[in-house]
Amino acid sequence: MNADDPVIPVDPQDPAPRRRRNQQDGARGGKPFKFGQKGDVREVAVNVPPDEPPPWQFGDTHAVVGQRTPRVDAVAKVTGKARYAYDMNLPGMVWAAFVRCPHARAKVTAVDYAEALKIPGVLVAKDYGSKEIRYALQHFGIVAAETHAACLEAVRAVKATFEVLPHAARMDQALAPDAPRVHAERPNKTGDDFRPEAVAAFEKAAQGCDAVVSGIATTEVQTHMCLEPHGVTARFEAPDRATVWASTQATFGARGEVARVLKVPEANVTVIAHYMGGGFGSKFSLGVAGAAACTLSKELGRPVKLMLERRAEHAQGGNRPSSVQEMSLGVKKDGTLAAYKVSKTGTGGIGGGAGAANPMIYDFGEVAEADFEVATNAGAAAAMRAPRHPQGSFALETIMNLAAEAIGMDPLELRRKNDKHPIRARQYVEGAKRFGWDKRTPSGSGKGPIKKGMGVASSLWYALGGRGAQVLCRIRKDGSVEIRNGAQDIGVGTKTILAMVAAEELGIPLSRVTPFLGDTNDPIGPASGGSTTAPTIMPAARTAAFMAGRSLREIVAKAWNCGADDLALGGGKVLHLKDGSKSMTFEKACALMPGDEIAELGKRTGNYAAYEGQTGGVHFAEVEVDTEDGTISVTRYLALQDAGTILNPLTAESQVNGAIVQGVSYALFEERILDRQLGQQVNADMEMYKIAGPKDMPRAEVILTEVVNGANNVGVAGLGEGPSVPVAAAIAGAVHNALGFPVWSLPMTPDRVLAAIAAKEKGK
Amino acid sequence: MGGHAEEGKGSVSRRGFLKSAGVAAAATSLIDDAKKAMEPVGPAPAAAVRGETEIRFKLNGKETVAKVPPSMTLLELLRERLDMTGTKQVCDRGACGACTVHLDGRTVNSCLLLAMDATGRDVTTVEGLAVGDRLHPVQQGFVEEDAMQCGFCTPGMVMSCAALLAKNPAPTRAECAEGISGNICRCGTYLNIFRAMDRASALAKGGK
């Protein structure tokens, strides 16, 4: 710790963390620990629960943690040995597929499966699911066959007739006065209108403002498009057991669903997800494919594989809802934000969950908010990386830029002035310097047809994990170590940091530790949602390793006739803290074990009073806009991102890189296009549903802001959501700076850019 | 769709059409095609050609004999008959590159190649790239630079990168982007892949 880092005693009147669920109820009698970041270190009292090691503090150094470490399963992934649910080939396995309706709203009136059943190898062709069709590509039947090819042939041989009904596939259609109802029991548009007193307060505050800026931002539906589709390979094992290889973000949630579907005890079900090919929020449940495969496996007495086909993955695999956000923001000349009004409307298809996180981050003064949701005849939305946030951030940061322009203030200054988060406060300054923000030119001042611009946007996330994980640490007599949890690594590197935390605590090299994830026969772990996986599992892992190491120290203490507390683990050795002449290698210590192994279960306890309950980030983007053809290139990008204790900078940076790439994609390309007449998605594939490719990449830099948040004994925060929040907004800000006015619609495709330019010229 | 049951078959000709026709024509075709593709009803397809034929080809250096129906793709043969599941099935129509293998040293989408057309050819899959425990420089570069997340696009990426490196021992970032422009990654690993290729290039130069 540097001498210039002041230690600020914690103020009992000002509990910094805003999120109190899961937290210790104060820490009377607790020991003080140093948490925080460079330039702002605070002493926080913590009652360290029994069996837990003291939390890592600001200034602690680590041997394994913090090293750039290739992921432990990297070789399996680059050699093709990693086996996913889609890759399971089991003896006697049957393939299954759904039969789908092409119409957006219809009744299935008759189905003839006779021809399908005549195809060699076809075992099942029958009704499955509702006959009331509410979105295009909803299934109503299922087939199963000996081969994938026979399965698809059978799907095509099914003859069905439909009563086609008028649909409301698109939001404008669902809002029309004579629109058919998507859900019979309620109107298409539901939600919460403005509270009159909030509007009155907004209006009063707006009168005292020097400028009130307004605008309507729109975003389109994007689909998750996971490369491995939703699905499972399921094996019912008569009379009452099952093993399911699932492409899932929630092994334990899936286990419960399998048990319910098959009516067997949960303890008899094993769900395996050693590898999974992308989820992004869309794979929390067993899903229609999983449930159907389990059911069929029980009926046929054979293993069944059912993975959604690509076009169905778009329709049925989930999506991020669209949004229309109508905003007014009042600002004073000195940059004080005083009044904000926002009405949000969006569609999540036949599912819910539309809505945009807006406002957030900045202090807006009086806020009036309305939030509506429109049901449409389209596939149901699902959580998608930072649900509600990228769309909210895009709208919010766009109106912020407009407000800055109205009072002649630098947009970065306006943000700094209205954002009190201590981590972002530092990131604004560091980022501006690093990115060369001082070289930003006035909006719209470029002369040629290709215009350059810079933008900035802010990130936050709320979760520092909580109760809900247990981790088993096993030290064997031969000196090898296992660390086990049953949750999944969805591709972010969880397995690697699990091993790193254990190696750190036991003072041994990483190569000595084998981590296990993705099998529900191991101890309980969380679903990978809300960026909680790492902060929920890792403290339990550290506790488990601490307890196992303590047991080992006790064994050695007996041999040396001293106390276990006189001994420490480090550098691959057991060390005597008081007698420097005494030391023993980790292996020799393990050989002293009376039995074959030490096994300890570490439990995740509630969070401590953290330095900050929310994580922070600030992102900068630079673009070139071609005003002749409307194309946008993101040329440079800088993300400053806090993720608490950085366990593995290599994989942590990868996650932020991923958020940047997905954000570029959301900002510039992604759009589910539904045909107005048919209500079908016309780009339900991977050619016309355009996502960012290798040629669309900016030069990107990631700076991980080191923050020891002290929320638990490890202090790691997740990186799934935070860096995903502001990317499109930062790019939109850069486009605004380039053009001199905002493009209000995502994705900022050439047609939208050219339309914005044309509208501006017409208005002149 | 002739005697073929798989969806992918129809798109072979469609992709050819998309390449040769203008964007406007392609868009029209897309809508027609979407209508057709979504229709599960209508007359049953002409009976698929049944029966199987024996083919011989070299797979990862080993002479391989397999019996295949005429409509089977190389991808299906690898994944479903030979249990070589490193090569991934994602879009099933040559749009994503996840099924990339080398055919006589050149990259092909194995979902668009009939297994019978591999007869007498030399096929290398991601499983055959390393020599024993010694990773190919591209694989080593991917490991060291963390050019993967979920890993589902990774085998195809690795195969495209390996083919690129064989042709161009020191590709620039732009050449690398061109080389993998047929491969789609959803997690967003492109930035790491560029770094991995720099690393691979250096490793290859140093004689591994």
Side-chain angles (χ1 to χ4, degrees), chain B residues 188-202:
Chain B
T189 60
Y190 301 119
L191 295 163
N192 298 59
I193 291 171
F194 296 149
R195 294 205 320 246
M197 279 300 274
D198 287 344
R199 184 69 72 105
S201 178

mmCIF file with all atom_site columns, all heavy atoms in Angstrom, chain B residues 188-202:
data_model
loop_
_atom_site.group_PDB
_atom_site.id
_atom_site.type_symbol
_atom_site.label_atom_id
_atom_site.label_alt_id
_atom_site.label_comp_id
_atom_site.label_asym_id
_atom_site.label_entity_id
_atom_site.label_seq_id
_atom_site.pdbx_PDB_ins_code
_atom_site.Cartn_x
_atom_site.Cartn_y
_atom_site.Cartn_z
_atom_site.occupancy
_atom_site.B_iso_or_equiv
_atom_site.pdbx_formal_charge
_atom_site.auth_seq_id
_atom_site.auth_comp_id
_atom_site.auth_asym_id
_atom_site.auth_atom_id
_atom_site.pdbx_PDB_model_num
ATOM 1   N N   . GLY B 1 188 ? -17.537 -12.835 -29.058 1.00 0.00 ? 188 GLY B N   1
ATOM 2   C CA  . GLY B 1 188 ? -16.722 -11.649 -29.325 1.00 0.00 ? 188 GLY B CA  1
ATOM 3   C C   . GLY B 1 188 ? -15.249 -11.878 -29.060 1.00 0.00 ? 188 GLY B C   1
ATOM 4   O O   . GLY B 1 188 ? -14.619 -11.130 -28.312 1.00 0.00 ? 188 GLY B O   1
ATOM 5   N N   . THR B 1 189 ? -14.666 -12.879 -29.689 1.00 0.00 ? 189 THR B N   1
ATOM 6   C CA  . THR B 1 189 ? -13.247 -13.189 -29.441 1.00 0.00 ? 189 THR B CA  1
ATOM 7   C C   . THR B 1 189 ? -12.326 -12.690 -30.550 1.00 0.00 ? 189 THR B C   1
ATOM 8   O O   . THR B 1 189 ? -11.136 -12.953 -30.516 1.00 0.00 ? 189 THR B O   1
ATOM 9   C CB  . THR B 1 189 ? -13.039 -14.714 -29.299 1.00 0.00 ? 189 THR B CB  1
ATOM 10  O OG1 . THR B 1 189 ? -13.450 -15.352 -30.515 1.00 0.00 ? 189 THR B OG1 1
ATOM 11  C CG2 . THR B 1 189 ? -13.829 -15.283 -28.147 1.00 0.00 ? 189 THR B CG2 1
ATOM 12  N N   . TYR B 1 190 ? -12.879 -11.969 -31.528 1.00 0.00 ? 190 TYR B N   1
ATOM 13  C CA  . TYR B 1 190 ? -12.064 -11.569 -32.689 1.00 0.00 ? 190 TYR B CA  1
ATOM 14  C C   . TYR B 1 190 ? -10.789 -10.835 -32.277 1.00 0.00 ? 190 TYR B C   1
ATOM 15  O O   . TYR B 1 190 ? -9.722  -11.051 -32.840 1.00 0.00 ? 190 TYR B O   1
ATOM 16  C CB  . TYR B 1 190 ? -12.848 -10.654 -33.621 1.00 0.00 ? 190 TYR B CB  1
ATOM 17  C CG  . TYR B 1 190 ? -14.122 -11.252 -34.167 1.00 0.00 ? 190 TYR B CG  1
ATOM 18  C CD1 . TYR B 1 190 ? -15.350 -10.658 -33.900 1.00 0.00 ? 190 TYR B CD1 1
ATOM 19  C CD2 . TYR B 1 190 ? -14.101 -12.395 -34.960 1.00 0.00 ? 190 TYR B CD2 1
ATOM 20  C CE1 . TYR B 1 190 ? -16.532 -11.187 -34.403 1.00 0.00 ? 190 TYR B CE1 1
ATOM 21  C CE2 . TYR B 1 190 ? -15.277 -12.929 -35.467 1.00 0.00 ? 190 TYR B CE2 1
ATOM 22  C CZ  . TYR B 1 190 ? -16.493 -12.322 -35.183 1.00 0.00 ? 190 TYR B CZ  1
ATOM 23  O OH  . TYR B 1 190 ? -17.652 -12.838 -35.675 1.00 0.00 ? 190 TYR B OH  1
ATOM 24  N N   . LEU B 1 191 ? -10.923 -9.923  -31.300 1.00 0.00 ? 191 LEU B N   1
ATOM 25  C CA  . LEU B 1 191 ? -9.761  -9.127  -30.896 1.00 0.00 ? 191 LEU B CA  1
ATOM 26  C C   . LEU B 1 191 ? -8.660  -10.025 -30.353 1.00 0.00 ? 191 LEU B C   1
ATOM 27  O O   . LEU B 1 191 ? -7.473  -9.806  -30.612 1.00 0.00 ? 191 LEU B O   1
ATOM 28  C CB  . LEU B 1 191 ? -10.190 -8.085  -29.854 1.00 0.00 ? 191 LEU B CB  1
ATOM 29  C CG  . LEU B 1 191 ? -11.171 -7.026  -30.381 1.00 0.00 ? 191 LEU B CG  1
ATOM 30  C CD1 . LEU B 1 191 ? -11.858 -6.300  -29.234 1.00 0.00 ? 191 LEU B CD1 1
ATOM 31  C CD2 . LEU B 1 191 ? -10.464 -6.022  -31.279 1.00 0.00 ? 191 LEU B CD2 1
ATOM 32  N N   . ASN B 1 192 ? -9.057  -11.060 -29.604 1.00 0.00 ? 192 ASN B N   1
ATOM 33  C CA  . ASN B 1 192 ? -8.072  -12.005 -29.090 1.00 0.00 ? 192 ASN B CA  1
ATOM 34  C C   . ASN B 1 192 ? -7.508  -12.877 -30.214 1.00 0.00 ? 192 ASN B C   1
ATOM 35  O O   . ASN B 1 192 ? -6.348  -13.269 -30.167 1.00 0.00 ? 192 ASN B O   1
ATOM 36  C CB  . ASN B 1 192 ? -8.705  -12.898 -28.021 1.00 0.00 ? 192 ASN B CB  1
ATOM 37  C CG  . ASN B 1 192 ? -9.187  -12.107 -26.823 1.00 0.00 ? 192 ASN B CG  1
ATOM 38  O OD1 . ASN B 1 192 ? -10.018 -11.216 -26.951 1.00 0.00 ? 192 ASN B OD1 1
ATOM 39  N ND2 . ASN B 1 192 ? -8.656  -12.411 -25.659 1.00 0.00 ? 192 ASN B ND2 1
ATOM 40  N N   . ILE B 1 193 ? -8.328  -13.172 -31.205 1.00 0.00 ? 193 ILE B N   1
ATOM 41  C CA  . ILE B 1 193 ? -7.852  -14.000 -32.320 1.00 0.00 ? 193 ILE B CA  1
ATOM 42  C C   . ILE B 1 193 ? -6.758  -13.268 -33.094 1.00 0.00 ? 193 ILE B C   1
ATOM 43  O O   . ILE B 1 193 ? -5.758  -13.874 -33.502 1.00 0.00 ? 193 ILE B O   1
ATOM 44  C CB  . ILE B 1 193 ? -9.026  -14.409 -33.239 1.00 0.00 ? 193 ILE B CB  1
ATOM 45  C CG1 . ILE B 1 193 ? -9.954  -15.388 -32.499 1.00 0.00 ? 193 ILE B CG1 1
ATOM 46  C CG2 . ILE B 1 193 ? -8.505  -15.058 -34.530 1.00 0.00 ? 193 ILE B CG2 1
ATOM 47  C CD1 . ILE B 1 193 ? -11.249 -15.696 -33.210 1.00 0.00 ? 193 ILE B CD1 1
ATOM 48  N N   . PHE B 1 194 ? -6.913  -11.967 -33.269 1.00 0.00 ? 194 PHE B N   1
ATOM 49  C CA  . PHE B 1 194 ? -5.853  -11.209 -33.952 1.00 0.00 ? 194 PHE B CA  1
ATOM 50  C C   . PHE B 1 194 ? -4.527  -11.358 -33.196 1.00 0.00 ? 194 PHE B C   1
ATOM 51  O O   . PHE B 1 194 ? -3.474  -11.565 -33.793 1.00 0.00 ? 194 PHE B O   1
ATOM 52  C CB  . PHE B 1 194 ? -6.217  -9.715  -34.048 1.00 0.00 ? 194 PHE B CB  1
ATOM 53  C CG  . PHE B 1 194 ? -7.441  -9.431  -34.886 1.00 0.00 ? 194 PHE B CG  1
ATOM 54  C CD1 . PHE B 1 194 ? -8.271  -8.352  -34.595 1.00 0.00 ? 194 PHE B CD1 1
ATOM 55  C CD2 . PHE B 1 194 ? -7.759  -10.233 -35.980 1.00 0.00 ? 194 PHE B CD2 1
ATOM 56  C CE1 . PHE B 1 194 ? -9.401  -8.082  -35.360 1.00 0.00 ? 194 PHE B CE1 1
ATOM 57  C CE2 . PHE B 1 194 ? -8.878  -9.963  -36.753 1.00 0.00 ? 194 PHE B CE2 1
ATOM 58  C CZ  . PHE B 1 194 ? -9.706  -8.893  -36.440 1.00 0.00 ? 194 PHE B CZ  1
ATOM 59  N N   . ARG B 1 195 ? -4.602  -11.232 -31.882 1.00 0.00 ? 195 ARG B N   1
ATOM 60  C CA  . ARG B 1 195 ? -3.381  -11.376 -31.071 1.00 0.00 ? 195 ARG B CA  1
ATOM 61  C C   . ARG B 1 195 ? -2.840  -12.803 -31.164 1.00 0.00 ? 195 ARG B C   1
ATOM 62  O O   . ARG B 1 195 ? -1.633  -13.020 -31.240 1.00 0.00 ? 195 ARG B O   1
ATOM 63  C CB  . ARG B 1 195 ? -3.679  -11.047 -29.604 1.00 0.00 ? 195 ARG B CB  1
ATOM 64  C CG  . ARG B 1 195 ? -4.043  -9.600  -29.339 1.00 0.00 ? 195 ARG B CG  1
ATOM 65  C CD  . ARG B 1 195 ? -3.734  -9.179  -27.894 1.00 0.00 ? 195 ARG B CD  1
ATOM 66  N NE  . ARG B 1 195 ? -4.049  -10.193 -26.908 1.00 0.00 ? 195 ARG B NE  1
ATOM 67  C CZ  . ARG B 1 195 ? -5.004  -10.060 -25.976 1.00 0.00 ? 195 ARG B CZ  1
ATOM 68  N NH1 . ARG B 1 195 ? -5.734  -8.970  -25.906 1.00 0.00 ? 195 ARG B NH1 1
ATOM 69  N NH2 . ARG B 1 195 ? -5.210  -11.016 -25.107 1.00 0.00 ? 195 ARG B NH2 1
ATOM 70  N N   . ALA B 1 196 ? -3.751  -13.761 -31.151 1.00 0.00 ? 196 ALA B N   1
ATOM 71  C CA  . ALA B 1 196 ? -3.339  -15.168 -31.226 1.00 0.00 ? 196 ALA B CA  1
ATOM 72  C C   . ALA B 1 196 ? -2.613  -15.450 -32.535 1.00 0.00 ? 196 ALA B C   1
ATOM 73  O O   . ALA B 1 196 ? -1.651  -16.223 -32.574 1.00 0.00 ? 196 ALA B O   1
ATOM 74  C CB  . ALA B 1 196 ? -4.559  -16.077 -31.085 1.00 0.00 ? 196 ALA B CB  1
ATOM 75  N N   . MET B 1 197 ? -3.059  -14.810 -33.603 1.00 0.00 ? 197 MET B N   1
ATOM 76  C CA  . MET B 1 197 ? -2.411  -15.027 -34.894 1.00 0.00 ? 197 MET B CA  1
ATOM 77  C C   . MET B 1 197 ? -1.022  -14.417 -34.920 1.00 0.00 ? 197 MET B C   1
ATOM 78  O O   . MET B 1 197 ? -0.100  -14.982 -35.510 1.00 0.00 ? 197 MET B O   1
ATOM 79  C CB  . MET B 1 197 ? -3.283  -14.462 -36.022 1.00 0.00 ? 197 MET B CB  1
ATOM 80  C CG  . MET B 1 197 ? -4.396  -15.406 -36.428 1.00 0.00 ? 197 MET B CG  1
ATOM 81  S SD  . MET B 1 197 ? -3.756  -17.002 -37.021 1.00 0.00 ? 197 MET B SD  1
ATOM 82  C CE  . MET B 1 197 ? -3.474  -16.595 -38.747 1.00 0.00 ? 197 MET B CE  1
ATOM 83  N N   . ASP B 1 198 ? -0.852  -13.264 -34.278 1.00 0.00 ? 198 ASP B N   1
ATOM 84  C CA  . ASP B 1 198 ? 0.496   -12.693 -34.166 1.00 0.00 ? 198 ASP B CA  1
ATOM 85  C C   . ASP B 1 198 ? 1.407   -13.664 -33.421 1.00 0.00 ? 198 ASP B C   1
ATOM 86  O O   . ASP B 1 198 ? 2.545   -13.901 -33.810 1.00 0.00 ? 198 ASP B O   1
ATOM 87  C CB  . ASP B 1 198 ? 0.454   -11.355 -33.403 1.00 0.00 ? 198 ASP B CB  1
ATOM 88  C CG  . ASP B 1 198 ? -0.155  -10.239 -34.245 1.00 0.00 ? 198 ASP B CG  1
ATOM 89  O OD1 . ASP B 1 198 ? -0.258  -10.419 -35.466 1.00 0.00 ? 198 ASP B OD1 1
ATOM 90  O OD2 . ASP B 1 198 ? -0.533  -9.200  -33.665 1.00 0.00 ? 198 ASP B OD2 1
ATOM 91  N N   . ARG B 1 199 ? 0.867   -14.223 -32.364 1.00 0.00 ? 199 ARG B N   1
ATOM 92  C CA  . ARG B 1 199 ? 1.643   -15.157 -31.556 1.00 0.00 ? 199 ARG B CA  1
ATOM 93  C C   . ARG B 1 199 ? 1.964   -16.415 -32.381 1.00 0.00 ? 199 ARG B C   1
ATOM 94  O O   . ARG B 1 199 ? 3.101   -16.902 -32.371 1.00 0.00 ? 199 ARG B O   1
ATOM 95  C CB  . ARG B 1 199 ? 0.837   -15.530 -30.301 1.00 0.00 ? 199 ARG B CB  1
ATOM 96  C CG  . ARG B 1 199 ? 1.552   -16.417 -29.301 1.00 0.00 ? 199 ARG B CG  1
ATOM 97  C CD  . ARG B 1 199 ? 2.697   -15.707 -28.591 1.00 0.00 ? 199 ARG B CD  1
ATOM 98  N NE  . ARG B 1 199 ? 2.211   -14.722 -27.652 1.00 0.00 ? 199 ARG B NE  1
ATOM 99  C CZ  . ARG B 1 199 ? 2.211   -14.896 -26.323 1.00 0.00 ? 199 ARG B CZ  1
ATOM 100 N NH1 . ARG B 1 199 ? 2.704   -15.987 -25.801 1.00 0.00 ? 199 ARG B NH1 1
ATOM 101 N NH2 . ARG B 1 199 ? 1.733   -13.971 -25.528 1.00 0.00 ? 199 ARG B NH2 1
ATOM 102 N N   . ALA B 1 200 ? 0.970   -16.905 -33.086 1.00 0.00 ? 200 ALA B N   1
ATOM 103 C CA  . ALA B 1 200 ? 1.159   -18.123 -33.895 1.00 0.00 ? 200 ALA B CA  1
ATOM 104 C C   . ALA B 1 200 ? 2.215   -17.893 -34.960 1.00 0.00 ? 200 ALA B C   1
ATOM 105 O O   . ALA B 1 200 ? 3.069   -18.748 -35.213 1.00 0.00 ? 200 ALA B O   1
ATOM 106 C CB  . ALA B 1 200 ? -0.164  -18.523 -34.542 1.00 0.00 ? 200 ALA B CB  1
ATOM 107 N N   . SER B 1 201 ? 2.155   -16.734 -35.565 1.00 0.00 ? 201 SER B N   1
ATOM 108 C CA  . SER B 1 201 ? 3.105   -16.394 -36.607 1.00 0.00 ? 201 SER B CA  1
ATOM 109 C C   . SER B 1 201 ? 4.529   -16.397 -36.043 1.00 0.00 ? 201 SER B C   1
ATOM 110 O O   . SER B 1 201 ? 5.458   -16.954 -36.648 1.00 0.00 ? 201 SER B O   1
ATOM 111 C CB  . SER B 1 201 ? 2.736   -15.015 -37.167 1.00 0.00 ? 201 SER B CB  1
ATOM 112 O OG  . SER B 1 201 ? 3.645   -14.625 -38.136 1.00 0.00 ? 201 SER B OG  1
ATOM 113 N N   . ALA B 1 202 ? 4.694   -15.822 -34.867 1.00 0.00 ? 202 ALA B N   1
ATOM 114 C CA  . ALA B 1 202 ? 6.014   -15.793 -34.229 1.00 0.00 ? 202 ALA B CA  1
ATOM 115 C C   . ALA B 1 202 ? 6.464   -17.201 -33.858 1.00 0.00 ? 202 ALA B C   1
ATOM 116 O O   . ALA B 1 202 ? 7.621   -17.574 -34.064 1.00 0.00 ? 202 ALA B O   1
ATOM 117 C CB  . ALA B 1 202 ? 5.964   -14.899 -32.994 1.00 0.00 ? 202 ALA B CB  1
#
